[in-house]
Amino acid sequence: MTELPARRLLLVHAHPDDESINNGATMAKYTAEGAHVTLVTCTLGERGEVIPPELRHLTGPALGAHRRGELDAALAALGVTDGRLLGGAGRYGDSGMTGLADNDDPGCFWQADVDEAAGRLAEVILEVRPQVVVTYDDNGGYGHPDHVQAHRVTMRAVDLAAERGHRIAKVYWNRVPRTVAEAAFARLQDELAALPFDKSAALDDVPGVVDDERITTTIDGSAHGAAKAAAMRAHATQIEVAEPYFALSNELAQPLFTTEYYELVRGTGQRGETDLFAGVEEAS
């Protein structure tokens, strides 16, 4: 393997499209600045609801294969060249929404042994040797089983990698400050009539919203907003974009954030950071 850049960032997400919605501007920014950005996606989202009528025939493995193509296109829009599927394509199936019988499928990610899945992720960590890892909080941002499991697997993989000689300097969880979300939804209400969406989502529909004091790190990705929007549009089965807003299959409008926010949960840093690598020894 060729020598990697000095700064290395690894992000873990549950399904194709999560990376673009949550971290698209961050990924584009760091890639443009020469960092090595690795995305690990845990499932192909085979149980996702499809928006375009002409694609609604896609279900199960066929939808997963299509969404893998969407993921590739999204990463190309962000400039990211290192995209991985945890355990390989199809190793872990989409678990469906909370409380559905899909959650009991023995092949779904929710039913995966955490140590086994974390071991696979630890292998990627040991290969890439990132200093910074980004994932969800312990509620997966909004409670989806695959997001919760991605959190568990990531945090365990960080420990396993440390036991094998590579300590992650900083671990972050995806966040949105409450006041920022409230202001964005207020603007949305004023502009909704001009959008192709009839109704607005609610604040509780945005994953990872927390009180402002929980935010440690703000990444201004406004210069990369077009790349984020393009990446989101690439996930056409799941997202309809009308900048600076978008909607999922529920057709409820919500803000498209080009400034992205994080909570440092492991490692040393200061509130008010504007760089995920702040204080990191790049040679580590």
Side-chain angles (χ1 to χ4, degrees):
M1 184 176 180
T2 58
E3 185 175 350
L4 293 174
R7 295 191 300 168
R8 301 177 298 279
L9 167 65
L10 184 142
L11 306 96
V12 181
H13 277 290
H15 315 104
D17 80 0
D18 293 323
E19 81 296 327
S20 298
I21 295 170
N22 288 277
N23 311 113
T26 298
M27 296 169 74
K29 167 184 164 64
Y30 281 110
T31 297
E33 292 176 357
H36 185 85
V37 176
T38 300
L39 170 69
V40 178
T41 307
C42 298
T43 82
L44 287 172
E46 302 92 339
R47 291 190 165 104
E49 295 182 358
V50 177
I51 295 173
E54 67 273 16
L55 295 177
R56 288 178 187 165
H57 64 282
L58 294 172
T59 60
L63 177 57
H66 187 90
R67 292 189 68 180
R68 183 179 186 181
E70 291 182 338
L71 177 61
D72 290 343
L75 292 184
L78 299 174
V80 175
T81 59
D82 188 9
R84 320 276 183 109
L85 295 171
L86 185 62
R91 177 64 183 83
Y92 301 108
D94 186 342
S95 306
M97 298 301 289
T98 303
L100 298 180
D102 299 333
N103 303 166
D104 299 324
D105 184 337
C108 77
F109 188 47
W110 179 243
Q111 293 294 330
D113 180 84
V114 170
D115 279 349
E116 183 268 343
R120 296 176 184 273
L121 181 56
E123 292 293 338
V124 178
I125 291 173
L126 291 168
E127 175 190 340
V128 179
R129 302 183 69 79
Q131 298 102 337
V132 177
V133 167
V134 171
T135 192
Y136 315 106
D137 65 12
D138 54 1
N139 188 46
Y142 71 112
H144 190 294
D146 287 330
H147 289 241
V148 174
Q149 187 77 322
H151 160 84
R152 294 173 178 170
V153 167
T154 303
M155 301 306 287
R156 179 63 178 139
V158 168
D159 291 338
L160 292 174
E163 291 171 6
R164 296 176 60 182
H166 180 69
R167 185 184 67 84
I168 303 296
K170 303 176 87 173
V171 177
Y172 291 94
W173 292 345
N174 295 304
R175 293 300 192 195
V176 179
R178 190 171 305 280
T179 60
V180 169
E182 288 172 345
F185 272 96
R187 290 192 298 272
L188 171 56
Q189 295 305 317
D190 292 339
E191 300 173 9
L192 186 59
L195 298 176
F197 314 118
D198 293 332
K199 297 180 180 180
S200 168
L203 189 67
D204 290 345
D205 294 321
V206 178
V209 174
V210 292
D211 293 340
D212 290 31
E213 57 265 27
R214 298 278 298 272
I215 306 300
T216 60
T217 312
T218 301
I219 301 299
D220 181 359
S222 55
H224 305 279
K228 175 169 181 168
M232 291 174 65
R233 284 193 178 95
H235 292 289
T237 61
Q238 307 300 304
I239 305 173
E240 183 179 356
V241 177
E243 291 178 79
Y245 304 104
F246 73 98
L248 302 173
S249 60
N250 58 15
E251 300 181 353
L252 300 177
Q254 58 180 291
L256 189 162
F257 295 108
T258 56
T259 296
E260 295 168 346
Y261 303 87
Y262 301 90
E263 179 182 0
L264 178 66
V265 295
R266 292 196 188 179
T268 302
Q270 296 182 345
R271 190 164 180 260
E273 288 178 341
T274 57
D275 179 9
L276 296 177
F277 291 89
V280 169
E281 293 290 336
E282 295 184 351
S284 65

